[in-house]
Amino acid sequence: MTPLRCQCQAASLYSQHRSCPAHNIIMEDTRIKKIADTVSTYPDFPKPGILFRDIFPVLADPAVFNDLINVMVERVQASHPTPDVVVGLESRGFLFGTPLALALKVPFVPVRKKGKLPGEVKQVSFSLEYGTDIFEAQAGRIKAGQNVLIVDDLLATGGSMKAACELVTSMGGEVTLCLVCIELVDLKGRNKVEHPVDTILKF
């Protein structure tokens, strides 16, 4: 069966999607299916009983990676208000947060584990399965009242995203959206997050 094609003359899939509303649903579904088909699955990794979803093959395919970033940009542009800052969570959140910040023409702020950022930092601790961990961000990178988009590759149990929201809020920012590439729905991580959550793929 020949796939439906948009008749708009445009330089990229993103501009086609934006310029032809009648084809939006068909085109976005096509891109998301392509992204989902590119994600690899590894059973019993990193330990028995775990089904690991590997997003790195998406980064290895420039066309699919471009589709993913474009879909993420569109999701953000459909939300309100527009972010003033993009925050990415260590470490794979950096891979998606930085091109997103460039596309939106706003600053990117990394959130890292304790001891990896120089200068004055703000921090928040959060619980893990065994023990605790600490997220940090450089002081002053987020200004009071700024609208903040938080980006990560995965939403699992929700602990990291919840902590990131708390850190941004403690710095005076307003979390407008938490955007992730993959959500593991059965783990119900979004239930821990008190801010809007959007995901590109759900497994």
Side-chain angles (χ1 to χ4, degrees):
M1 179 179 178
T2 302
L4 294 173
R5 293 182 177 273
C6 175
Q7 297 303 310
C8 299
Q9 297 299 313
S12 69
L13 183 57
Y14 173 56
S15 58
Q16 287 180 7
H17 178 92
R18 298 287 295 174
S19 62
C20 185
H23 291 80
N24 280 356
I25 295 176
I26 294 171
M27 295 182 70
E28 180 163 351
D29 285 351
T30 300
R31 289 180 299 170
I32 291 177
K33 183 180 185 305
K34 189 192 306 181
I35 296 164
D37 289 345
T38 306
V39 172
S40 296
T41 302
Y42 292 89
D44 298 319
F45 181 85
K47 60 184 181 180
I50 301 295
L51 188 63
F52 186 82
R53 306 288 182 175
D54 182 14
I55 201 167
F56 284 149
V58 172
L59 278 67
D61 187 323
V64 179
F65 190 19
N66 185 64
D67 283 345
L68 174 58
I69 297 303
N70 285 339
V71 170
M72 295 177 77
V73 168
E74 291 164 22
R75 295 287 182 90
V76 174
Q77 290 177 332
S79 69
H80 298 282
T82 301
D84 300 306
V85 176
V86 173
V87 164
L89 306 190
E90 184 171 324
S91 58
R92 282 174 289 192
F94 301 167
L95 300 173
F96 309 100
T98 48
L100 195 53
L102 284 172
L104 295 169
K105 296 181 172 57
V106 299
F108 175 80
V109 175
V111 166
R112 303 208 65 184
K113 298 293 181 65
K114 183 180 179 179
K116 294 186 178 182
L117 289 171
E120 181 185 355
V121 297
K122 302 294 184 180
Q123 63 178 217
V124 64
S125 62
F126 60 101
S127 298
L128 300 172
E129 187 176 0
Y130 302 103
T132 61
D133 210 339
I134 293 175
F135 268 160
E136 293 183 335
Q138 290 175 312
R141 297 300 184 191
I142 297 173
K143 307 294 191 299
Q146 283 189 314
N147 297 316
V148 179
L149 165 69
I150 301 179
V151 178
D152 204 4
D153 69 314
L154 181 70
L155 180 64
T157 61
S160 295
M161 186 60 74
K162 179 177 183 289
C165 291
E166 292 173 354
L167 179 59
V168 168
T169 301
S170 73
M171 298 174 72
E174 301 286 340
V175 179
T176 56
L177 181 65
C178 303
L179 181 61
V180 297
C181 299
I182 295 174
E183 178 180 3
L184 303 181
V185 179
D186 288 347
L187 298 181
K188 300 180 180 179
R190 69 168 57 217
N191 293 346
K192 291 184 180 179
V193 183
E194 298 179 357
H195 301 274
V197 175
D198 194 6
T199 58
I200 307 304
L201 303 175
K202 295 182 180 182
F203 292 103

